[in-house]
Amino acid sequence: MTTLADPVPGGRPGDVPRATALAAELAGRGVRGIVLAYVDTAGIGRVKAIPTARLPTAAAWGVGMSPVFDTFLADDSIVATDVLGSPDGDLRLYPALDRLVELAGQPGWAWAPVDRITQEGERHPGCGRTFLRRTVADAEERHGLTFLAAVEIEWAVGLASAPEGEFVPAVSGPAYGATRQIELSDYTADLLAACAAQGVDVDQIHPEYAPGQFELSVGALDPVAAADRSVLVRQTVRAVSQRHGLRASFAPAVLPEGVGNGGHLHLSCRRDGANLHTGGTRRYGMTAEAESFAAGVLAHLPALTALTAPSPASYLRLKPSQWAGVFTAWGRETREAALRVVTGTAGRQERYANLEVKPVDLAANPYLALGCVIAAGLDGVTSAAALPEEITGDPARLGEEEAAARGVRRLPASLPEAVEAFRRDEVLRAALGPVLADAVTAVRLGEAAAVDGLDDARVAAAYRWKY
Ligand code: GLU
Ligand code: MG
């Protein structure tokens, strides 16, 4: 389980001796430096790095970094809110020692995600990981609920030797094709080895639908650990790709048309350790609470897309009939509905029954996305919301009237539309707090303005190698 307590100046109790022991152990294994990682509001992974011997100092006092990154855009330009985006100020990055891991794909390096606090020792209201930690802690305190979560990772594998900026698929075999698996046999075996060495339990790895696309799915953890893991897995895929002369793109749309890269979220609610998505009296064995949780997520989906699909490129992916789930609908094992109820196979429901949220991509900051999906679900639990009728098949086939009658709506088709929905969503804004909510709005509008007037091909190219 993730440590949910905030970092404090001087270090959380026990952290400094622990960091001292870890630093000695890592140095003994030839680890020279530690990457301190977080994800900014725009969904870009940002880092600082320290020599291994500095770890105890970092655990005690953090490592400095400007808060300006909270309003960075994917192209490194900067927007501003009332309180963020100024060149003034400094924050302290505190490594999460529970998550510190030697990087199998980058010999000589270890990695840890960070929480950010102010120089005065206060929580930084713009910190996504802190937001998710708080959301999870509150859910347990106020509702007695805990969660297991996982983020699916899809990516396109291109040749590193491709002309600057271009994507040349590294494989030519068909979707889910045996040929494609053989073409990148050494690469995927190295990926599995790296994940295993880092304690990441991989469920599956397979060639996916789009050109050069692969997918890796991992075991579920508490939400903060799941978000950390999704960042670590991407760091690993990137590093292993580079060692094989390949280049990985997690962009929602590597190409302007066709199937994109998703980052579907899987989430299950638990009470006293029992999975609420099975053994209940509601449809498909859901308990009343699990149904209400799902109904809450469904109701907030249009606004959630500002968190789960935060890039202009996200809307090249979010198209009907591409398994990205662009309709406010749910169904059992329905891959075109935004919410897929996964019951698990007979005998394994307790572990595997969960809710899958599909209109999520890997431009999303996983801490913000998971925290907001949880906040939306809890809103449903609080109001004992009920799910509408389920959908089978592709909602795109429904005529306008039938769709309206069944409450099936198209999710936002552009980033500005998503921002509009987010602006109207008091629940999500309140959950994030004013500083993060304003940062999300400013950054999304900044991204939208940055691509104003560009055609789809240029939008895809602009973000192809950013995520
Ligand atoms: N690539 C699809 C997406 O963009 C998902 C395919 C699948 O269901 O795994 O979400
Ligand atoms: Mg997939």
Side-chain angles (χ1 to χ4, degrees), residues 132-191:
L132 182 56
R133 276 191 299 107
R134 302 285 312 147
T135 304
V136 169
D138 276 7
E140 179 148 27
E141 229 170 86
R142 289 210 246 139
H143 299 270
L145 293 176
T146 59
F147 307 92
L148 281 182
V151 183
E152 290 182 10
I153 309 279
E154 291 186 334
W155 75 101
V157 190
L159 295 176
S161 57
E164 177 62 24
E166 283 181 30
F167 171 66
V168 177
V171 287
S172 54
Y176 293 85
T179 311
R180 205 187 277 191
Q181 194 278 326
I182 296 162
E183 285 177 283
L184 285 184
S185 182
D186 290 348
Y187 166 68
T188 45
D190 279 0
L191 263 179

Side-chain angles (χ1 to χ4, degrees), residues 244-260:
H244 282 263
L246 302 169
R247 198 173 185 196
S249 170
F250 302 95
V254 179
L255 300 169
E257 267 147 24
V259 168

Side-chain angles (χ1 to χ4, degrees), residues 8 10-22 59-60 97:
V8 288
R12 291 187 190 97
D15 267 8
V16 175
R18 192 172 168 200
T20 306
L22 279 168
L97 297 178

Side-chain angles (χ1 to χ4, degrees), residues 4-182:
L4 293 179
D6 293 317
V8 288
R12 291 187 190 97
D15 267 8
V16 175
R18 192 172 168 200
T20 306
L22 279 168
E25 195 189 316
L26 290 171
R29 289 210 298 269
V31 173
R32 311 261 179 235
I34 301 171
V35 178
L36 304 179
Y38 71 96
V39 183
D40 72 12
T41 316
I44 302 295
R46 307 274 177 195
V47 300
K48 279 257 178 124
I50 53 170
T52 303
R54 295 288 294 178
L55 185 63
T57 314
W61 305 109
V63 171
M65 192 160 189
S66 164
V68 75
F69 294 96
D70 291 325
T71 48
F72 257 49
L73 303 184
D75 68 359
D76 292 346
S77 58
I78 307 169
V79 294
T81 69
D82 291 351
V83 291
L84 294 172
S86 136
D88 303 343
D90 202 33
L91 294 169
R92 309 304 297 175
L93 312 183
Y94 276 75
L97 297 178
D98 302 343
R99 290 291 126 63
L100 188 106
V101 64
E102 195 176 333
L103 288 173
Q106 292 175 256
W109 287 97
W111 176 96
V114 298
D115 289 296
R116 297 179 293 154
I117 64 173
T118 68
Q119 284 184 308
E120 291 68 42
E122 305 287 323
R123 270 178 213 139
H124 172 47
C127 175
R129 193 172 190 274
T130 300
F131 161 66
L132 182 56
R133 276 191 299 107
R134 302 285 312 147
T135 304
V136 169
D138 276 7
E140 179 148 27
E141 229 170 86
R142 289 210 246 139
H143 299 270
L145 293 176
T146 59
F147 307 92
L148 281 182
V151 183
E152 290 182 10
I153 309 279
E154 291 186 334
W155 75 101
V157 190
L159 295 176
S161 57
E164 177 62 24
E166 283 181 30
F167 171 66
V168 177
V171 287
S172 54
Y176 293 85
T179 311
R180 205 187 277 191
Q181 194 278 326
I182 296 162

Side-chain angles (χ1 to χ4, degrees), residues 152 154 208 213 215 259-262 264 317 322-324 358:
E152 290 182 10
E154 291 186 334
E208 252 291 346
Q213 196 179 33
E215 173 174 339
V259 168
N261 288 322
H264 304 177
R317 164 183 173 256
Q322 297 193 162
W323 287 20
K358 286 184 173 288

